[in-house]
Amino acid sequence: MFLSDKIKCMDEGIAGVRKAIPEVPADVGLCRIMLLIAERLQAELEHKLRPHKLNDSEFRTLIALFAHPNGTSTPGEVCLFTSLGVTNMTRIANALVKRGLITRGPSAEDRRRVVMQITPAGKRFVQKMLPSMLPRLKLLFDGFTHNERSTLNRLLRKLAHNLSKLEHTAGDSP
Amino acid sequence: MFLSDKIKCMDEGIAGVRKAIPEVPADVGLCRIMLLIAERLQAELEHKLRPHKLNDSEFRTLIALFAHPNGTSTPGEVCLFTSLGVTNMTRIANALVKRGLITRGPSAEDRRRVVMQITPAGKRFVQKMLPSMLPRLKLLFDGFTHNERSTLNRLLRKLAHNLSKLEHTAGDSP
DNA sequence: TCATTTTATTTCACCAGTGAAATATGCACC
DNA sequence: GGTGCATATTTCACTGGTGAAATAAAATGA
C-alpha cells in the first residue's frame, strides 16, 4: 500500500474522530503525517542497503567511523553521532566485524574502552554506497525550491525545539 | 539526552561526512531531522499512555473503533485506518480484549471475518484520555502561526507525494 | 457442482530497540 | 593506598514490528 493511500485513510480516520470529539485539533494530523513519512523514509533508506545485508543502524555506524579522524572511535562516541542506544552498539559492531567492514579491539590508553576502526573494505563500501543513494535522495526533494527546503528545515527545527522543551516537563500535572 | 543535543551531534556528524564526500547534499540532514523528530514524537505520544499500560498501536486501534459507526469493525479495516500491519492486529486486539476495552467475536455475515467492538469502558477511556493529551499537543506547536502550520502541512504532503512516486520505481537501476 | 482463486485472519520465526543490571576500569579524595 | 563514585561496555529479558506460510471461508466460473 502506498504512502499516499495511507495518508488518505489517516485523514479520513482523523476526520471521523474530530466529528466525535470536536476539540481535537487538526495538528494531530500533522503529527501523524510526520510519523508516516518517517516510517516510509526509513524503509526507503534501508531499500538500497538490504541487498548488501546491512541495515540503517549499521550503515550509520560505518559512516560515523568513516567520517572520523583515522576512521577510529569508540562505541559510546559513535552512539553520540548516530543517536543509537549504546546497548545496541555491541550487536551492531558484531555484525560489522563479521562483515569485515570494521575491526574492534581494546583501547591502549583506557582499558574500559573499546576502539572500533573502519577497514579499507569498509571505506570502499561507504565510498561506493553513499553516492549510489544520491539520485533517489534528489528525487525525494524533487520540485522543492531552495526556499521551500530552508522553510521546511526551519519549521522542523522549531518543532524540535518545542519537543525539547516538552522533554523537560514531566507532563502529567493537570 | 535531549532531542536538541541529538540534532546538534547529527549536524556535526553530517558536516564531517560532507567534508569527506562533498557531493553529499544538505538534504540528508533534512531527512535525519525528520527521523529524529518522529522518534521523539512517538515517545511523546506513548508518554501519557504508558501509565495505563497501553502503547500507541493499541490506542490508535481503540480510537479507530471509537470513531466507527457502532464502535465495530474488523481487523483488516482497522489496519487501513491505523496503518498498522494486519499481522500485528491479532496481538494488539488480544491486549485490548484482556484490558476489557474491546470485545472480539466471529462475524455472522462472513465467517472469515472477526468483528471487534469497543466496550463502554473503552469509550470512556478514549473520552477521558484523548482530551488529556491536548495540552501537550498545544505546546508542541507553540509559537507556530496559522500560516506556518499550513506551510508545514503542505511541504510534508509534497514530500509524501514524492515518496509515493519513489515507491513505484524499483530504484536499483543506475 | 466442484476446482480454482481471492480474501481474512492467524501463527511463527526472526530482527531490532529498550531499560536494568552486571562487569570492569579509571579517577579523586581522604 | 584504599574507598567510593564515575565512566564504558556488555548482557539479558522483554517489547514490538515484519514477511512467509498456514488456515479457513467466500467468490468465481467452467
Side-chain angles (χ1 to χ4, degrees):
Chain A
M1 195 178 199
F2 293 132
L3 177 60
S4 40
D5 301 316
K6 285 193 182 180
I7 291 179
K8 197 183 300 175
C9 286
M10 189 263 310
D11 282 336
E12 272 180 54
I14 290 186
V17 173
R18 295 185 68 200
K19 205 152 64 179
I21 306 185
E23 58 265 43
V24 170
D27 295 341
V28 303
L30 225 42
C31 292
R32 286 294 172 196
I33 236 185
M34 273 187 290
L35 293 175
L36 285 177
I37 286 180
E39 197 177 284
R40 183 64 194 76
L41 202 49
Q42 184 76 31
E44 172 62 30
L45 279 170
E46 307 225 333
H47 175 85
K48 275 270 185 171
L49 264 4
R50 191 149 32 240
H52 301 277
K53 302 283 203 331
L54 281 195
N55 62 30
D56 182 45
S57 300
E58 288 152 1
F59 192 54
R60 262 147 80 197
T61 299
L62 194 59
I63 287 182
L65 289 178
F66 179 87
H68 246 255
N70 303 322
T72 68
S73 189
T74 64
E77 200 186 12
V78 167
C79 287
L80 278 182
F81 288 102
T82 55
S83 304
L84 292 164
V86 267
T87 61
N88 302 328
M89 213 52 217
T90 304
R91 172 176 33 88
I92 291 169
N94 284 341
L96 290 173
V97 168
K98 194 178 291 181
R99 300 273 281 98
L101 302 172
I102 70 168
T103 59
R104 189 173 38 168
S107 160
E109 313 97 50
D110 185 340
R111 303 222 312 273
R112 287 170 304 179
R113 274 190 271 192
V114 162
V115 302
M116 300 163 64
Q117 176 160 32
I118 191 169
T119 64
K123 277 185 190 163
R124 279 197 303 276
F125 184 83
V126 171
Q127 274 163 338
K128 201 186 53 159
M129 205 59 210
L130 248 185
S132 85
M133 297 171 124
L134 303 185
R136 302 209 107 203
L137 183 61
K138 205 180 177 69
L139 248 47
L140 185 60
F141 287 97
D142 189 40
F144 276 73
T145 66
H146 186 72
N147 224 316
E148 282 175 332
R149 276 166 225 243
S150 88
T151 303
L152 183 55
N153 194 40
R154 182 179 65 82
L155 293 176
L156 288 175
R157 281 170 194 272
K158 187 167 180 173
L159 197 60
H161 181 247
N162 282 356
L163 265 168
S164 285
K165 278 195 298 187
L166 274 184
E167 270 171 309
H168 292 274
T169 75
D172 19 23
S173 18
Chain B
M1 193 182 202
F2 292 132
L3 177 60
S4 40
D5 302 316
K6 286 191 182 183
I7 290 180
K8 198 184 299 176
C9 287
M10 190 263 311
D11 281 336
E12 272 180 53
I14 289 186
V17 173
R18 296 185 67 199
K19 206 153 62 181
I21 307 186
E23 58 265 44
V24 171
D27 294 341
V28 305
L30 224 43
C31 291
R32 287 293 171 197
I33 236 184
M34 273 188 289
L35 292 175
L36 284 177
I37 287 179
E39 195 177 284
R40 183 63 194 80
L41 202 49
Q42 184 77 32
E44 172 62 31
L45 279 170
E46 306 226 334
H47 175 85
K48 273 271 186 172
L49 262 5
R50 190 150 28 242
H52 301 277
K53 301 285 205 326
L54 281 196
N55 62 28
D56 182 46
S57 300
E58 288 153 2
F59 192 54
R60 261 145 83 197
T61 300
L62 195 59
I63 286 181
L65 289 178
F66 180 88
H68 247 255
N70 302 323
T72 69
S73 188
T74 65
E77 200 186 12
V78 167
C79 286
L80 278 182
F81 287 103
T82 55
S83 303
L84 292 164
V86 267
T87 60
N88 302 327
M89 211 54 218
T90 304
R91 172 176 32 92
I92 291 169
N94 283 341
L96 290 172
V97 167
K98 193 178 292 182
R99 301 272 282 98
L101 301 172
I102 70 168
T103 60
R104 189 171 41 167
S107 159
E109 314 97 48
D110 185 339
R111 303 220 314 272
R112 288 170 303 183
R113 274 190 271 193
V114 162
V115 302
M116 300 162 65
Q117 176 160 32
I118 192 171
T119 63
K123 278 186 190 164
R124 277 196 304 275
F125 184 82
V126 171
Q127 274 163 339
K128 199 187 50 160
M129 204 60 209
L130 248 183
S132 84
M133 296 171 125
L134 301 186
R136 301 209 110 203
L137 183 61
K138 204 181 178 70
L139 248 48
L140 185 59
F141 287 97
D142 188 40
F144 276 73
T145 67
H146 187 71
N147 224 318
E148 283 175 331
R149 273 166 227 244
S150 89
T151 301
L152 183 56
N153 193 41
R154 181 179 67 79
L155 294 176
L156 289 175
R157 281 169 193 272
K158 187 169 181 171
L159 196 61
H161 181 248
N162 283 356
L163 265 169
S164 286
K165 279 195 296 187
L166 274 184
E167 269 171 309
H168 292 274
T169 75
D172 18 23
S173 19

